[in-house]
């Protein structure tokens, strides 16, 4: 069983992709594990060890807890009245924005290399229409999904939140635009809803799997966003890797006000929203300033955090909730010191601690490897004593 657990954990010499082929919540179909019953005592131990990924809403662990009658009634009403409207409405908005992107990119060749083509560097009216319509429609989707109000707080330098339609650049009051332009926006990662919020706020580029570019509708939209595609399976010598591409885009955004901004989630995975995981250093290698943003999702019944629940179940329960909430805290642009520029780990850790302090988040020292172990244990395919004594990677 120990050898099986080693296969599950990432190896330093052979990094594993986060979730390219199989969902985190499903057992490996190639090497099925015996189903192990989990005692209440074992669950309590797991919830202490893997606290950043534990759900605390009324639906319980993995969203499969026993609901009281009142909650069952509310869920039933949501399934009958809310879910169909929100699914149809969301699909219609997606298709409408796809048509806008198709019209705005007609007769245009994408910029960038073959592995990283995009339409985000398009200028003029085309870029303005793609950007503004993308922001407004993203906010409309959030409203449709129950996020009627978004509480936004800006600390330090005042940001007016309005983007220049041509430059795709926020205006910062009282300070030089050249000094205050960030190379990237960095945010904690709680849910896929994070992406919709950031699209509505600033319409930045994201890091996505290469396969996203080939998806119907989504593929073209991701190119209009200017997504940086990760092609983990590529072994060619001319492939720069995601860090190299991200660093180039960060330097470009910092030096050129016409360049699209880039949005990064340095934790590398989602949490339950109460914790902040260790940051990967890829977002800090460019030595450019970053704009930290902290997202929180207050809730009473269902938590929008995508932590230890399957994707389909999470979407259904989210769309069945009558009202959802987002709280956003924008911090001042963080300019690295010379010492931080020379040490990306120090830079990343200092930004992380600042975000945790200002966002009232708890610092954790575990990450994606432990999240996979926790999910596997919840599914009963790893023996509990081995899981509970798993070493940090």
């Amino acid at each position: 069983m120990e050898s099986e657990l080693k296969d599950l954990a990432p190896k330093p010499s052979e990094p594993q992709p986060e979730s390219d082929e199989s969902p985190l919540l499903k057992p490996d179909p190639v090497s099925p594990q015996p189903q192990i019953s989990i005692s209440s005592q074992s669950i309590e131990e797991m919830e202490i060890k893997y606290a950043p990924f534990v759900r605390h809403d009324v639906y319980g662990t993995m969203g499969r807890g026993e609901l009281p009658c009142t909650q069952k009634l509310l869920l039933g009403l949501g399934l009958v009245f809310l879910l169909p409207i929100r699914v149809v409405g969301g699909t219609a908005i997606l298709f409408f924005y796809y048509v806008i992107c198709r019209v705005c990119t007609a007769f245009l060749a994408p910029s960038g290399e073959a592995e990283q083509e995009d339409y985000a560097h398009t200028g003029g009216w085309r870029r303005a229409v793609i950007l503004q319509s993308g922001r407004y429609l993203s906010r409309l989707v959030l409203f449709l999904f129950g996020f009627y109000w978004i509480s936004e707080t800006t600390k330090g330098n005042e940001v007016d939140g309005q983007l220049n339609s041509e430059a795709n650049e926020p205006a910062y009051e009282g300070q030089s635009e050249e000094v205050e332009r960030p190379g990237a926006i960095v945010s904690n990662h709680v849910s896929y809803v994070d992406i919709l919020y950031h699209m509505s706020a600033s319409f930045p580029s994201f890091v996505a799997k290469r396969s996203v570019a080939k998806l119907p509708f989504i593929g073209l939209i991701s190119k209009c966003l200017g997504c940086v595609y990760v092609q983990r399976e590529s072994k060619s010598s001319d492939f720069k890797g995601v860090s190299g591409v991200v660093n180039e885009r960060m330097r470009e955004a910092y030096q050129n006000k016409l360049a699209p901004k880039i949005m990064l989630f340095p934790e590398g995975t989602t949490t339950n929203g109460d914790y902040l995981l260790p940051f990967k250093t890829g977002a800090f290698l460019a030595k450019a300033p970053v704009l930290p943003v902290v997202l929180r999702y207050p809730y009473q019944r269902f938590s929008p955090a995508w932590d230890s629940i399957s994707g389909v179940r999470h979407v259904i329960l989210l769309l069945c909730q009558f009202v959802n909430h987002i709280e956003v805290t924008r911090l001042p642009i963080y300019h690295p010191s010379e010492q931080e520029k020379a040490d990306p780990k120090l830079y990343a850790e200092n930004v992380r601690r600042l975000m945790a302090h200002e966002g009232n988040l708890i610092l954790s020292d575990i990450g994606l490897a432990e999240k996979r172990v926790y999910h596997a244990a919840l599914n009963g395919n790893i023996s509990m004593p081995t899981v509970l004594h798993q070493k940090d990677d």
Side-chain angles (χ1 to χ4, degrees):
M1 187 61 68
E2 292 181 357
S3 63
E4 294 172 357
L5 183 58
K6 291 179 180 178
D7 291 338
L8 222 163
K11 299 178 182 179
S13 60
E14 299 179 6
Q16 300 179 358
E18 294 184 5
S19 57
D20 280 344
E21 301 296 338
S22 58
L24 291 176
L25 293 176
K26 295 183 179 179
D28 186 354
V30 178
S31 303
Q33 304 290 339
Q35 298 297 308
I36 306 296
S37 60
I38 304 178
S39 66
S40 59
Q41 181 179 1
S42 298
I43 291 179
E44 291 178 0
E45 294 180 42
M46 287 175 57
E47 290 181 348
I48 294 175
K49 183 174 180 63
Y50 303 108
F53 314 118
V54 176
R55 296 190 69 81
H56 301 289
D57 60 13
V58 298
Y59 291 91
T61 303
M62 301 179 70
R64 298 176 180 176
E66 183 65 26
L67 294 176
C69 294
T70 304
Q71 299 300 330
K72 289 181 179 179
L73 176 61
L74 292 174
L75 178 59
L77 292 174
L79 286 169
V80 173
F81 296 105
L82 291 180
L83 183 62
I85 295 175
R86 288 174 170 176
V87 169
V88 172
T91 304
I93 294 173
L94 173 65
F95 180 75
F96 180 59
Y97 187 56
Y98 168 78
V99 172
I100 293 176
C101 292
R102 178 58 68 188
V103 171
C104 291
T105 58
F107 309 110
L108 288 180
S111 61
E113 303 175 359
E115 301 293 339
Q116 299 292 341
E117 66 275 6
D118 69 78
Y119 293 102
H121 293 80
T122 302
W125 67 269
R126 298 173 185 265
R127 180 60 182 167
V129 172
I130 290 174
L131 189 151
Q132 295 298 342
S133 62
R135 291 184 61 205
Y136 295 144
L137 291 177
S138 297
R139 183 64 186 93
L140 181 58
V141 171
L142 286 172
F143 186 88
L144 181 66
F145 288 178
F147 295 93
Y148 307 120
W149 305 277
I150 298 179
S151 173
E152 297 179 295
T153 303
T154 299
K155 296 189 176 182
N157 300 333
E158 293 297 323
V159 181
D160 66 8
Q162 299 298 320
L163 290 175
N164 181 296
S165 61
E166 294 183 359
N168 187 25
E169 190 67 24
Y172 300 92
E173 298 178 357
Q175 299 206 17
S176 168
E177 180 180 312
E178 292 300 321
V179 173
E180 287 300 311
R181 185 187 308 122
I185 304 169
V186 294
S187 173
N188 62 319
H189 202 7
V190 183
S191 173
Y192 49 82
V193 180
D194 303 349
I195 297 175
L196 282 173
Y197 167 74
H198 287 295
M199 286 179 63
S200 70
S202 56
F203 204 77
S205 305
F206 297 90
V207 175
K209 292 188 295 183
R210 177 62 189 165
S211 58
V212 171
K214 301 178 181 179
L215 294 175
F217 305 120
I218 300 295
L220 177 61
I221 294 175
S222 71
K223 292 179 182 179
C224 290
L225 277 165
C227 287
V228 176
Y229 299 113
V230 183
Q231 192 174 3
R232 297 183 179 94
E233 68 275 10
S234 175
K235 301 296 182 181
S236 59
S237 58
D238 61 343
F239 181 67
K240 301 175 183 178
V242 63
S243 294
V245 177
V246 167
N247 288 335
E248 288 185 3
R249 292 287 294 273
M250 287 184 64
R251 295 188 186 100
E252 179 188 19
Y254 180 54
Q255 298 169 1
N256 180 9
K257 66 180 182 179
L258 298 177
K261 297 187 299 300
I262 187 167
M263 168 76 230
L264 300 171
F265 298 109
E267 293 172 285
T269 189
T270 55
T271 68
N272 59 15
D274 296 327
Y275 290 79
L276 199 60
L277 307 182
F279 281 2
K280 300 180 184 300
T281 58
F284 305 91
L285 295 174
K287 306 176 182 180
V290 296
L291 176 62
V293 178
V294 180
L295 304 180
R296 300 295 298 263
Y297 293 84
Y299 65 91
Q300 293 182 348
R301 294 175 54 241
F302 174 76
S303 169
W306 191 20
D307 36 40
S308 57
I309 182 173
S310 68
V312 173
R313 183 182 296 269
H314 188 279
V315 170
I316 293 175
L317 294 178
L318 178 72
L319 298 186
C320 288
Q321 183 153 261
F322 291 84
V323 180
N324 293 295
H325 302 277
I326 302 180
E327 293 180 353
V328 182
T329 303
R330 292 191 184 90
L331 305 182
I333 293 178
Y334 191 104
H335 295 267
S337 65
E338 293 301 321
Q339 184 180 6
E340 289 171 328
K341 291 180 180 179
D343 187 353
K345 290 184 178 180
L346 176 64
Y347 184 10
E349 183 61 19
N350 287 345
V351 172
R352 175 176 174 251
R353 291 185 177 277
L354 173 66
M355 292 175 63
H357 178 266
E358 297 295 338
N360 195 27
L361 301 175
I362 304 171
L363 292 173
S364 174
D365 59 356
I366 65 176
L368 179 61
E370 290 78 9
K371 184 177 184 179
R372 285 184 170 135
V373 172
Y374 177 57
H375 286 176
L378 291 179
N379 280 279
N381 62 359
I382 297 181
S383 64
M384 291 309 303
T386 309
V387 171
L388 296 175
H389 292 88
Q390 169 70 5
K391 299 290 186 180
D392 290 341
D393 184 23

